[in-house]
């Protein structure tokens, strides 16, 4: 029953309804799906079990060879056939050769280090959906796939089978094996991407090991060097002992379950601050650290200038400790004691104080102010080892402290660390030894195991350390302000990712770009043997770039030094003898490799793409490296939009891992596994549906349940398409289509809904919200088509005369709906869309859906004024159907009683006569007869049951609002069942009803 909103309208309501232009809708919706789905259709298809029906051959049942549920080998062969026959491989070049506005999605290069996985599938399919939508909209899509071919991920995989033998390999042997491995991985990935239906310039892919690409990379490097953005320095960097190389932030992953041995340590005050009054004995500055191995490198203890610090006495030992006032209670609890506060001062009062080192006699550590100190954890005093901390290094630079590193490339203490520590791995036995040294010196107050987030090498999955070394850096501090300013002009989807990237940029003061490996692009620098001064200038640049253009970067290892640094170049550079120089041994960070891809791939688009679309890990990776290099080298953004998607996880929300055995292989998804019951062949379109349907802006789950659901959705969609195809077998839109203004009102209403759907689905594509596209699509085919429209029009389709305008009217709608649905799903399900186009009736040579444009919904279809009529009738029908749950609605006659009102005038538009079996209102009711009255008949039996309801009419944007009441009387049909249409509209069970007799006249005889 509809709720009232009150109010009435003036005269000429029907005229106002006809002219109503603004969107109008019922306050509580049009119909109830559950009720509608329980009722039978008005003309069920005859069943062989009912016996031979002599009128069956006159019923116009659907005809199509479009398969309903293809599976297994049939499905796979059909998809491959469609790719061949519909020109999947030629589509990219076809659309590039036509006129139109350019649209560029720049492909972030995946690593060429393994087989394709579902992360690849998610990313490539999302890009392909975007590109296919743009092609259908008339754009000339620019999409060049690429691969990241250098770096340790590939080197490790390539050398894995050789074990200890790799230690004997020369750099060129390593490079050759890595390149061979990368090429094989690329071929496997490329084949998979093509099988998924990805449209791209597969003949002109880019590879970071290509010599032209490497030459471009060196040009960008030199341009940034000339501008002062690239420099060499000795400072702390993330270091991976497991791979013996420096790492960038983007090459880290954080282990939230890492366990560290934290310690509370005393630093005796040898020169207390002048503001402190020591009653008796010595005092100790109290520090806490999770990295005890760094204590031998300590140079200072830092404090917060604006904070309060207290001198306390431990009531257990009577020792005096200096620590942050805010930390007094928590530290006392941790140490299992109580503190008596003797004196409190500000941080500034600690200036000039000096401690002695807890394990190295004679070494002193100053108390220094620092902004990175907090009271959140620890004691409020921070142990500072400049060689092993970024903030520590900043303090050392400001106060001219030593930055001596006591740890080598393998993470072992050097000889300079002392006999007790030498050659011990810092994170294991080194840590243990330092703790024992503290204990032996009576400087250790307590050791506590701490579980916390800790950086690991993303390749080896082993912990890293912070270690000072001489490296090449990009001065991001000089770039980031401009980068942040320009980034704010970029549209980021979802918007929340913008803040994450801005914050990452804000924290990034420098970017270490040198790596101590050989599989990569060499940093083009020579060093003087005696002074270690780097030689790099415009003369060395041009010469080396020419060599790389000719030979690739292999020349750095294959050519002799005097060909890399010729006498002519050296003379122009102010040098004398090439024997005084050695070439550098570092290669560039692979994030620099991929980060300059805009300079090579986007030359035809002015070095800027419309869209970069990658996983959220690229907020600190490729998105950022591309931004920084582009702004530094060319002072412009490399992209206009960023689209960020989540990671793929299994159905339990867990990260997939081969070692755990929970990996979902896209090849198995498409082609099936060894056991087809456990791993059926879903085909490429189901994989694409999964990628599109997922809420890609968060983590994306995949597994058998998710894939089953995706397949079921595709089958539902196929069923809907099959129904439409089957009922268009005798329809030629060029000769049989009915103009919209001549259609039945419910058909015009469906075109109105179709136009609304087209607008919404187009906007969803534009917003890269492909999950919304699918939700709109499934809602439309399930609610508007299958549950509502199809159930209403089956009687018209099957039982009216073949050329009856009523039948042609709904066929026109089906033809338009089929076209709109096919085009709207095509970017997501290209194989299915092409299959539909292959089965279109009356088409001699089917064209590819992608070569015939986007949805062609007409603005003429939009007729909001008719909405209230159909929704009012649907509300009345809901009341009727809910009174006969599970029963055949054609077994009943319906009487609708509405007092004179706007609702009555609307219903009279659907049924002009008092009683009808063929009116538009009766079709909507799905009854055998519908009677429309303005008052209750006087001769009704006393015990007649009435169904009462209300409907709120809202026209002209709310200017016309009226609540109308109605009553329904449901009675068993009074006539006999027509042997042809199965409605109770015949005078005899042996004779067709008048409508059917007219339909078969001259076409059938007894």
């Amino acid at each position: 029953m509809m709720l009232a909103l009150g109010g009435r309208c003036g005269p000429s309501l029907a005229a106002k309804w006809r002219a109503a232009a603004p969107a109008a809708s019922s306050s509580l919706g049009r119909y109830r799906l559950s009720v509608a789905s329980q009722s039978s259709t008005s003309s069920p298809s005859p069943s062989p079990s009912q016996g031979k029906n002599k009128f069956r051959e006159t019923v116009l049942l659907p005809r199509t060879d479009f398969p309903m549920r293809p599976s297994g080998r049939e499905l796979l062969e059909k998809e491959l056939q469609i790719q061949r026959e519909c020109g999947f491989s030629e589509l990219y070049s076809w659309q590039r050769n036509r006129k139109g506005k350019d649209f560029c999605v720049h492909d972030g290069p995946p690593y060429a280090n393994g087989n394709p996985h579902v992360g690849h599938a998610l990313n490539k399919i999302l890009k392909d959906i975007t590109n296919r939508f743009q092609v259908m909209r008339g754009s000339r899509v620019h999409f060049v796939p690429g691969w990241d071919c250098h770096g340790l991920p590939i080197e490790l995989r390539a050398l894995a089978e050789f074990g200890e033998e790799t230690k004997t390999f020369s750099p060129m042997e390593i490079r050759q094996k890595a390149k061979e491995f990368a090429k094989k991985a690329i071929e496997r990935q490329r084949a998979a991407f093509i099988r998924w239906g990805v449209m791209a310039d597969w003949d002109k892919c880019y590879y970071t090991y290509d010599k032209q690409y490497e030459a471009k990379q060196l040009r960008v490097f030199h341009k940034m060097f000339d501008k002062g953005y690239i420099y060499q320095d000795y400072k702390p960097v993330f270091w991976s002992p497991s791979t013996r190389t420096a790492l960038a932030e983007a090459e880290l992953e954080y282990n939230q379950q890492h366990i560290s041995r934290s310690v509370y340590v005393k630093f005796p005050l040898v020169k207390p601050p002048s503001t402190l009054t020591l009653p008796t004995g010595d005092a100790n500055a109290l520090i806490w650290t999770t990295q005890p191995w760094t204590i031998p490198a300590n140079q200072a203890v830092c404090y917060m200038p604006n904070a309060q610090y207290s001198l306390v006495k431990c009531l257990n030992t009577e020792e005096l400790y200096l620590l942050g006032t805010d930390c007094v209670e928590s530290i006392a609890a941790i140490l299992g004691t109580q503190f008596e506060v003797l004196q409190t001062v500000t941080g500034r009062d600690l200036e000039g104080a000096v401690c002695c080192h807890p394990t190295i006699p004679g070494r002193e550590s100053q108390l220094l102010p620092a902004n990175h100190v907090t009271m959140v954890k620890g004691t409020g005093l921070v142990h500072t080892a400049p060689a092993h901390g970024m903030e520590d290094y900043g303090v050392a630079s400001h106060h001219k402290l030593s930055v001596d590193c006591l740890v080598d490339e393998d993470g072992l203490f050097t000889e300079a660390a002392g006999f007790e520590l030498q050659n011990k791995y810092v994170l294991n036995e080194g840590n243990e030894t330092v703790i024992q040294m503290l204990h032996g010196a009576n400087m250790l107050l307590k050791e506590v195991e701490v579980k916390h987030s800790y950086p690991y090498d993303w390749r080896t999955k082993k912990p890293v350390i912070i270690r000072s070394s001489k490296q090449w850096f990009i001065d991001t501090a000089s770039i980031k302000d401009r980068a942040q300013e320009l980034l704010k002009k970029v549209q980021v989807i979802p918007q929340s990712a913008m803040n994450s990237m801005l914050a990452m940029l804000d924290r990034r003061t420098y970017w270490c770009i040198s790596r101590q490996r050989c599989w990569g692009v060499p940093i083009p620098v020579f060093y003087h043997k005696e002074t270690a001064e780097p030689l790099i200038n415009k003369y060395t640049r041009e010469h080396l770039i020419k060599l790389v253009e000719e030979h690739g970067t292999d020349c750095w290892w294959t050519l002799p030094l005097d060909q890399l640094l010729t006498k002519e170049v050296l003379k122009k550079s102010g040098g004398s003898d090439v024997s005084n120089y050695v070439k550098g041994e570092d290669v560039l960070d692979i994030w620099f490799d991929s980060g300059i891809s805009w300079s090579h791939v986007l030359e035809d688009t002015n070095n800027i793409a419309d869209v970069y679309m990658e996983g959220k890990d690229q907020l600190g990776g490729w998105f950022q490296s591309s931004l920084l290099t582009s702004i530094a080298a060319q002072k412009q953004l490399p992209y206009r939009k960023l689209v960020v998607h989540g990671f793929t996880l299994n159905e339990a929300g867990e990260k997939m891992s081969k070692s755990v055995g929970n990996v979902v292989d896209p090849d198995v998804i498409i082609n099936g596994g060894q056991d087809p019951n456990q791993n059926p062949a879903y085909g490429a379109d189901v994989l694409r549906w999964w990628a599109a349907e997922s809420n890609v802006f968060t983590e994306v789950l995949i597994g058998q349940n998710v894939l089953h659901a995706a397949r079921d959705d595709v089958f539902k969609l196929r069923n809907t398409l099959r129904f439409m195809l089957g009922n268009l077998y005798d329809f030629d839109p060029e000769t049989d289509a009915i103009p919209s203004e001549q259609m039945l009102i419910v058909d015009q209403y469906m075109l109105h809904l179709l136009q609304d759907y087209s607008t919404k689905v187009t906007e969803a594509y534009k917003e890269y919200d492909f999950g919304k596209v699918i939700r709109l699509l499934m809602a439309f085919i399930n609610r508007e088509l299958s549950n509502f429209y199809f159930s209403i029009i089956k009687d018209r389709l099957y039982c009216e005369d073949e050329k009856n305008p009523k039948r042609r009217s709904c066929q026109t709608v089906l033809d338009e709906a089929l076209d709109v649905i096919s085009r709207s799903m095509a970017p997501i399900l290209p194989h299915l869309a092409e299959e539909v186009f292959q089965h279109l009736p009356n088409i001699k040579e089917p064209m590819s859906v992608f070569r015939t444009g986007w949805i062609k919904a007409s603005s003429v279809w939009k007729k909001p004024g008719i909405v209230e009529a159909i929704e009012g009738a649907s509300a009345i029908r809901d009341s009727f159907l809910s009174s006969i749950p599970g029963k055949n609605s054609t077994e009943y006659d319906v009487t609708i009683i509405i007092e004179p009102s706007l609702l009555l005038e609307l219903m009279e538009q659907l049924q002009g006569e008092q009683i009808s079996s063929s009116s538009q209102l009766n079709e909507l009711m799905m009854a055998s007869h519908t009677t429309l009255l303005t008052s209750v008949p006087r001769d009704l039996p006393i015990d007649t049951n009435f169904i009462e309801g209300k409907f709120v009419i809202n026209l002209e944007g709310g200017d016309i609002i009226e609540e109308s009441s109605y009553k329904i009387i449901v009675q068993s049909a009074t006539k006999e069942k027509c042997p042809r249409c199965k409605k109770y509209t015949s005078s005899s069970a042996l004779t067709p009803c008048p409508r059917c007799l007219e339909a078969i006249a001259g076409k059938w005889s007894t």
Side-chain angles (χ1 to χ4, degrees):
M1 182 177 292
M2 298 296 174
L3 300 179
L5 294 180
R8 287 193 58 81
C9 301
S12 303
L13 297 176
K16 289 190 176 182
W17 163 66
R18 295 188 196 98
S25 62
S26 164
S27 61
L28 292 181
R30 189 172 69 254
Y31 44 81
R32 303 181 184 87
L33 294 180
S34 59
V35 173
S37 63
Q38 290 171 1
S39 64
S40 302
T41 63
S42 58
S43 55
S45 302
S47 169
S49 63
Q50 296 172 337
K52 185 175 181 180
N53 186 318
K54 59 185 178 181
F55 300 106
R56 177 183 176 86
E57 65 188 69
T58 70
V59 177
L60 304 175
L61 294 174
R63 302 178 197 172
T64 181
D65 58 358
F66 183 80
M68 185 185 298
R69 297 169 69 93
S71 61
R73 184 52 51 190
E74 175 194 4
L75 169 65
L76 301 180
E77 290 177 354
K78 187 63 179 178
E79 286 190 339
L80 293 173
Q81 177 189 353
I82 287 171
Q83 289 192 1
R84 291 191 302 270
E85 295 180 357
C86 297
F88 272 44
S89 60
E90 295 86 28
L91 180 60
Y92 184 84
S93 60
W94 171 82
Q95 59 89 34
R96 285 298 295 169
N97 291 326
R98 65 178 177 172
K99 294 181 179 180
K101 181 182 178 182
D102 282 333
F103 179 85
C104 176
V105 174
H106 184 24
D107 188 34
Y111 288 117
N113 69 331
N115 292 326
H117 52 70
V118 289
H120 290 133
L122 179 66
N123 181 256
K124 297 301 180 187
I125 290 170
L126 292 177
K127 291 173 183 173
D128 190 58
I129 293 170
T130 299
N131 287 335
R132 287 179 179 272
F133 169 68
Q134 291 293 337
V135 167
M136 295 181 76
R137 296 272 290 173
S139 298
R140 296 174 67 250
V141 167
H142 179 284
F143 182 68
V144 180
W147 276 269
D148 208 342
C149 308
H150 290 136
L152 204 54
I154 295 164
E155 184 181 328
L156 291 176
R157 293 291 303 276
L159 302 180
E161 63 179 290
F162 299 101
E164 290 296 314
E165 186 184 355
T166 58
K167 295 180 179 179
T168 66
F169 288 170
S170 69
M172 275 309 300
E173 287 179 302
I174 293 174
R175 287 176 63 84
Q176 288 168 359
K177 293 184 185 304
K179 189 170 187 177
E180 290 170 5
F181 181 90
K183 284 183 175 180
K184 292 178 182 177
I186 288 169
E187 287 310 308
R188 292 194 301 272
Q189 291 183 19
R190 186 208 310 268
F193 301 164
I194 293 173
R195 177 63 184 89
W196 301 342
V198 176
M199 177 198 68
D201 194 349
W202 293 113
D203 296 328
K204 297 179 181 177
C205 300
Y206 74 95
Y207 314 97
T208 60
Y209 62 39
D210 177 77
K211 55 188 179 183
Q212 297 302 321
Y213 188 99
E214 292 174 330
K216 280 280 177 58
Q217 184 172 338
L218 292 179
R219 289 193 184 280
V220 174
F221 175 90
H222 276 281
K223 187 176 288 188
M224 293 176 64
F225 178 82
D226 292 344
K227 291 183 176 183
Y229 292 127
I230 292 179
Y231 64 97
Q232 190 183 40
D233 200 359
Y234 180 85
K235 63 172 66 177
V237 295
F238 289 108
W239 185 272
S240 173
S242 59
T243 52
R244 303 183 83 250
T245 185
L247 299 178
E249 178 74 35
E251 296 170 292
L252 306 175
E253 61 183 24
Y254 285 82
N255 181 355
Q256 306 298 326
Q257 306 301 314
H258 182 83
I259 302 293
S260 289
R261 299 173 67 180
S262 74
V263 291
Y264 292 85
V265 179
K266 297 184 293 185
F267 276 65
L269 283 164
V270 294
K271 180 183 177 184
S274 58
T275 53
L276 281 185
T277 303
L278 302 181
T280 57
D282 297 327
N284 301 275
L286 188 58
I287 68 96
W288 171 76
T289 180
T290 61
Q291 308 299 313
W293 63 270
T294 63
I295 287 179
N298 175 274
Q299 296 289 332
V301 173
C302 289
Y303 57 84
M304 189 189 309
N306 297 326
Q308 298 290 308
Y309 288 83
S310 294
L311 181 67
V312 302
K313 182 168 75 171
C314 174
L315 299 186
N316 288 356
T317 64
E318 296 195 352
E319 286 187 313
L320 302 182
Y321 302 136
L322 178 66
L323 71 163
T325 303
D326 292 345
C327 305
V328 169
E329 291 186 11
S330 60
I331 298 301
I334 290 171
L335 299 179
T337 186
Q338 292 183 330
F339 289 155
E340 178 187 347
V341 177
L342 304 179
Q343 188 179 352
T344 297
V345 297
T346 65
R348 291 188 182 85
D349 294 329
L350 303 181
E351 185 177 359
V354 179
C355 301
C356 69
H357 195 283
T359 63
I360 303 176
R363 178 182 291 181
E364 294 183 343
S365 299
Q366 302 175 59
L367 265 66
L368 298 174
N371 293 327
H372 68 275
V373 181
T374 72
M375 298 287 175
V376 176
K377 290 183 178 179
T379 66
L381 293 173
V382 176
H383 141 64
T384 301
H388 302 295
M390 316 307 189
E391 294 91 353
D392 307 44
Y393 176 81
V395 172
S397 298
H398 185 72
H399 294 280
K400 305 290 189 289
L401 301 180
S402 171
V403 191
D404 295 332
C405 182
L406 307 177
V407 181
D408 68 12
E409 291 87 348
D410 293 302
L412 306 179
F413 277 116
T414 63
E415 182 180 359
F419 176 77
E420 290 182 84
L421 294 172
Q422 185 178 0
N423 293 328
K424 292 183 177 178
Y425 182 54
V426 294
L427 293 179
N428 290 333
E429 61 268 36
N431 241 348
E432 172 64 26
T433 302
V434 171
I435 291 173
Q436 291 303 320
M437 292 170 68
L438 290 168
H439 187 270
N442 196 30
M443 295 298 164
L444 179 66
L445 285 179
K446 189 165 186 174
E447 177 186 345
V448 179
E449 284 195 349
V450 175
K451 181 189 292 186
H452 64 130
S453 176
Y454 191 87
Y456 275 54
D457 186 325
W458 68 336
R459 306 168 184 110
T460 62
K461 311 303 180 185
K462 293 183 179 180
V464 304
I465 59 176
I466 295 177
R467 170 183 176 271
S468 283
S469 62
K470 202 163 192 177
Q471 303 289 342
W472 286 90
F473 298 91
I474 292 178
D475 180 15
T476 53
S478 299
I479 308 171
K480 67 179 183 180
D481 288 347
R482 180 62 174 161
Q484 288 174 314
E485 178 187 345
L486 291 179
L487 182 61
K488 291 175 183 177
K489 299 179 180 179
V490 174
Q491 181 184 358
V492 181
I493 303 172
Q495 180 60 33
S496 57
M498 169 73 82
N499 295 332
S500 298
M501 191 166 173
L502 287 171
M504 290 179 185
L505 280 170
D506 198 52
R507 293 192 299 267
R508 192 168 192 173
T509 54
Y510 55 84
W511 169 11
C512 178
I513 58 170
S514 48
R515 297 292 179 271
Q516 289 63 55
R517 311 301 301 181
C518 61
W519 178 228
V521 175
I523 294 180
V525 62
F526 304 93
Y527 297 98
H528 195 278
K529 288 181 178 178
E530 293 183 3
T531 65
E533 282 296 310
L535 175 62
I536 177 172
N537 55 45
K538 62 181 180 180
Y539 307 113
T540 62
R541 172 185 68 206
E542 292 305 320
H543 177 66
L544 287 173
I545 287 176
K546 286 180 181 179
L547 289 176
V548 169
E549 288 176 335
E550 182 179 355
H551 304 288
T553 53
D554 280 351
C555 68
W556 191 254
W557 287 271
T558 58
L559 295 180
L561 181 62
D562 59 3
Q563 289 187 37
L564 298 173
L565 182 60
T566 64
K567 291 181 180 179
E568 293 79 6
V569 170
L570 189 57
K571 184 177 180 180
K572 292 178 182 178
S573 303
S576 56
D577 190 346
V578 69
S579 63
N580 292 330
Y581 290 88
V582 295
K583 63 185 178 184
E585 297 182 353
D586 293 341
V587 298
L588 284 163
D589 176 17
I590 50 177
W591 290 109
F592 191 87
D593 278 26
S594 59
I596 63 90
S597 58
W598 51 263
S599 69
H600 180 76
V601 182
L602 304 182
E603 285 183 304
D604 295 339
T605 63
N606 297 318
N607 290 341
I608 186 169
D610 290 286
V611 178
Y612 275 36
M613 180 185 294
E614 303 295 334
K616 65 181 182 180
D617 56 326
Q618 300 308 320
L619 290 170
W622 188 58
F623 290 162
Q624 198 172 128
S625 63
S626 299
L627 176 69
L628 292 170
T629 55
S630 178
I631 289 175
Q634 59 175 3
K635 297 182 181 180
Q636 74 170 41
L637 290 162
Y639 39 70
R640 297 183 179 93
K641 289 183 183 178
L642 291 179
V643 181
V644 188
H645 61 77
F647 296 136
T648 53
L649 305 173
N650 68 6
E651 286 182 317
E654 301 165 336
K655 188 175 180 180
M656 286 177 275
S657 168
K658 287 184 179 179
S659 61
V660 177
N662 63 352
V663 171
V664 180
D665 186 343
D667 182 66
V668 173
I669 292 173
I670 291 177
N671 298 308
Q674 294 181 349
D675 182 355
N677 293 320
Q678 184 176 354
N679 292 297
Y682 290 105
D685 269 359
V686 168
L687 180 67
R688 294 176 66 97
W689 185 271
W690 159 77
E693 182 183 28
S694 306
N695 181 1
V696 297
F697 305 135
T698 60
E699 309 305 1
V700 181
L701 305 184
I702 190 169
Q704 284 302 319
N705 292 331
V706 173
L707 292 169
H708 275 309
R711 181 183 61 182
D712 289 346
D713 282 346
V714 174
F715 280 159
K716 289 177 185 175
L717 180 55
R718 289 189 70 95
N719 216 14
T720 302
L721 296 166
R722 188 170 184 269
F723 177 87
M724 291 189 282
L725 284 168
N727 284 290
L728 291 171
Y729 69 90
D730 63 343
F731 179 81
D732 184 344
E734 292 187 5
T735 58
D736 299 331
I738 301 294
S740 61
E741 65 273 10
Q742 297 176 24
M743 288 180 174
L744 272 62
I745 291 175
V746 71
D747 297 336
Q748 294 184 49
Y749 172 72
M750 286 308 300
L751 289 183
H752 171 82
L753 295 181
L754 201 59
Q755 201 272 347
D756 183 62
Y757 164 79
S758 302
T759 300
K760 289 178 179 177
V761 82
T762 301
E763 286 304 309
Y765 271 114
K766 289 180 179 179
E767 295 167 358
Y768 303 89
D769 194 347
F770 308 135
K772 185 177 181 180
V773 170
I774 286 184
R775 292 192 298 275
L776 288 167
L777 173 61
M778 294 306 292
F780 192 81
I781 67 165
N782 286 329
R783 187 174 65 227
E784 321 294 4
L785 292 178
S786 297
N787 290 340
F788 175 65
Y789 191 59
F790 291 173
S791 63
I792 290 170
I793 64 171
K794 283 181 181 178
D795 177 69
R796 245 198 290 168
L797 282 170
Y798 301 162
C799 300
E800 293 290 352
D801 177 72
E802 179 182 9
K803 297 181 180 180
N804 187 296
K806 288 184 178 180
R807 185 167 181 271
R808 293 305 194 201
S809 178
C810 63
Q811 282 184 305
T812 304
V813 172
L814 292 181
D815 183 63
E816 296 288 5
L818 179 63
D819 188 75
V820 169
I821 295 298
S822 298
R823 294 181 193 279
S824 69
M825 73 181 187
I828 297 171
L829 303 176
H831 302 87
L832 179 55
E834 294 286 26
E835 187 180 0
V836 170
F837 265 52
Q838 286 184 333
H839 284 83
L840 290 176
N842 301 308
I843 300 294
K844 294 180 181 179
E845 295 183 7
M847 288 189 67
S848 166
V849 63
F850 295 101
R851 302 191 185 200
T852 55
W854 186 236
I855 298 169
K856 301 175 179 65
S858 171
S859 59
V860 175
W861 295 354
K862 194 166 186 63
K863 295 182 179 179
I866 65 175
V867 171
E868 294 298 296
I870 301 301
E871 294 198 346
S874 297
I876 297 171
R877 185 191 64 166
D878 284 352
S879 299
F880 159 50
L881 294 178
S882 64
S883 71
I884 55 165
K887 296 181 180 179
N888 188 341
S889 59
T890 61
E891 296 176 358
Y892 298 91
D893 293 338
V894 178
T895 299
I896 302 171
I897 304 162
I898 308 173
E899 294 182 357
S901 61
L902 178 54
L903 180 60
L904 176 63
E905 294 191 37
L906 295 178
M907 295 307 101
E908 287 175 339
Q909 296 297 314
L910 299 171
Q911 180 167 309
E913 60 270 50
Q914 188 176 86
I915 182 170
S916 177
S917 62
S918 59
S919 70
Q920 298 182 62
L921 181 59
N922 188 65
E923 181 182 59
L924 283 161
M925 293 300 111
M926 299 194 304
S928 285
H929 291 88
T930 296
T931 301
L932 183 61
L933 302 175
T934 58
S935 61
V936 177
R938 296 179 180 179
D939 56 351
L940 281 179
I942 299 176
D943 59 350
T944 299
N945 289 323
F946 292 93
I947 302 169
E948 298 186 3
K950 294 181 180 180
F951 183 74
V952 176
I953 295 170
N954 188 328
L955 287 176
E956 299 188 8
D959 290 341
I960 301 175
I961 298 176
E962 178 181 295
E963 177 196 35
S964 296
S965 300
Y966 58 84
K967 293 180 181 180
I968 303 172
I969 302 172
V970 179
Q971 297 172 309
S972 295
T974 57
K975 290 196 172 185
E976 296 296 329
K977 185 176 184 180
C978 173
R980 182 173 181 269
C981 70
K982 309 305 180 184
K983 295 176 71 173
Y984 290 78
T985 52
S986 180
S987 58
S988 167
L990 301 176
T991 306
C993 65
R995 186 274 303 267
C996 287
L997 285 173
E998 182 180 350
I1000 63 177
K1003 302 177 184 177
W1004 180 88
S1005 63
T1006 58

